């Protein structure tokens, strides 16, 4: 499995060293360089912890995160922003970059899965008990159509046959899932739609009303990650990016993701 590739590689390198070959020193050198990692906003907390763990092993790799909606990140990559790894909250954006030959198809891994949930402020009053009576709310915080969670939300509405009713509501459209979460946490909106992991990150401020009904979402909430063609990267930068991508697939890192509420989609 890909999760074990990094460990296997390091073991092989160690074996070569013990054999005393002349190329050992070069092969066993830890990666060093700088890498630009574009991550869906919902990954931000987990990825900060993962970066700290990675840098304990590889202190000479400098990681620069850019966290935003996957649609915004896709556009930035298409417009030439420097990026080495893209970690999307949906397959749509990654697939588009693969088709445009901006992402390395062979490196892409569908790594994580999330859930879409309806939330309200802790202690807040609402008549809403689930997605089926969402229009009973006075207002709704909803991510924009280019944002994966916004796309998932609209798919739910369409499949439930309530799209027109929702569109008639007072909607506060957020630029990304973090904006939606913040709006509900601050009490600016009665309810909102985010990922389960986002709700779990602010348990003192928001509470989950309900998960999206099982049959309402045909598209799985999958997070793919892969390498992006970076013309400005040095050989060291590319090696560092490859090492970090492999590290993201290890069992150690998966435990971190699971602690933040994500599920392993590779199983």
């Amino acid at each position: 499995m890909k999760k074990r590739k990094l460990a296997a590689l390091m073991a092989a390198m160690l074996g070569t060293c013990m054999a005393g070959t002349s190329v050992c020193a070069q092969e066993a050198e830890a990666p060093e360089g700088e890498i630009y990692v574009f991550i869906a906003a919902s990954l931000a907390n987990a990825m900060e912890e993962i970066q700290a763990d990675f840098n304990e092993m590889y202190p000479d790799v400098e990681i620069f995160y850019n966290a935003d909606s996957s649609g915004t990140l896709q556009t930035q990559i298409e417009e030439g922003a420097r990026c080495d790894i893209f970690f999307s909250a949906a397959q749509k954006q990654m697939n588009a970059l693969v088709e445009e030959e901006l992402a390395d198809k062979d490196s892409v891994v569908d790594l994580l899965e999330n859930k879409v949930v309806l939330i309200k402020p802790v202690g807040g009053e609402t008549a809403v008990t689930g997605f089926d009576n969402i229009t009973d709310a006075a207002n709704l915080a909803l991510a924009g159509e280019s944002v994966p969670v916004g796309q998932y939300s609209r798919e739910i509405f369409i499949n439930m046959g309530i799209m027109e009713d929702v569109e008639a509501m007072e909607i506060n459209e957020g630029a990304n899932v973090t904006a939606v979460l913040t709006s509900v946490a601050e009490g600016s909106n009665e309810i909102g739609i985010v990922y389960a992991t986002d709700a779990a990150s602010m348990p003192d401020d928001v509470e989950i009303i309900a998960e999206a009904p099982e049959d309402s979402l045909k598209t799985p909430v999958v997070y793919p990650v892969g390498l992006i063609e970076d013309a400005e990267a040095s050989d060291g930068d590319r090696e560092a990016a490859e090492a970090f991508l492999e590290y993201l697939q290890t069992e150690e890192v998966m435990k971190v993701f699971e602690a933040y509420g994500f599920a392993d989609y590779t199983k």
Side-chain angles (χ1 to χ4, degrees), residues 50 111 247-258:
I50 289 165
L111 191 61
Y247 181 67
L248 291 175
Q249 300 170 63
T250 61
E251 293 180 4
E252 175 187 356
V253 170
M254 189 55 65
K255 290 178 182 178
V256 176
F257 284 130
E258 289 173 344

Side-chain angles (χ1 to χ4, degrees), residues 20-71:
T21 66
S22 60
V23 296
C24 169
Q26 283 187 325
E27 288 184 335
E29 284 181 359
E32 59 180 88
E34 57 182 37
I35 54 177
Y36 295 80
V37 185
F38 284 25
I39 59 174
S42 52
L43 290 163
N45 292 332
M47 291 296 281
E48 289 294 338
E49 181 174 337
I50 289 165
Q51 177 182 359
D53 293 340
F54 181 79
N55 280 142
E56 285 187 9
M57 295 188 297
Y58 305 115
D60 294 325
V61 176
E62 192 168 7
I63 301 173
F64 300 95
Y65 284 141
N66 178 16
D68 210 321
S69 79
S70 299

Side-chain angles (χ1 to χ4, degrees), residues 41 67-70 72 142-144 147 149 173-181 194:
D68 210 321
S69 79
S70 299
T72 297
L142 182 68
V147 183
V149 73
E173 191 167 283
N176 53 45
V177 71
T178 303
V180 174
L181 180 67
V194 298

Side-chain angles (χ1 to χ4, degrees), residues 1 16 27 34 40 42 48 59 71-72 82 102 131 147 187 223 230 251 254 260 266:
M1 290 180 64
T16 302
E27 288 184 335
E34 57 182 37
S42 52
E48 289 294 338
T72 297
R82 184 173 179 189
L102 294 173
F131 282 80
V147 183
Y223 285 56
D230 181 2
E251 293 180 4
M254 189 55 65
Y260 281 89
T266 65

Side-chain angles (χ1 to χ4, degrees), residues 107-159:
S107 72
V108 176
V109 178
D110 291 335
L111 191 61
L112 304 175
E113 186 173 13
N114 212 334
K115 301 292 183 183
V116 176
V117 298
L118 191 61
I119 61 170
K120 71 181 187 70
V122 167
E125 295 186 3
T126 182
V128 176
T129 56
F131 282 80
D132 54 342
N133 69 334
I134 195 172
T135 54
D136 287 347
N139 49 63
L140 168 68
L142 182 68
E145 293 185 36
S146 66
V147 183
V149 73
Q151 295 167 353
Y152 292 130
S153 300
R154 287 165 177 80
E155 181 181 339
I156 292 167
F157 301 150
I158 291 170
N159 290 335

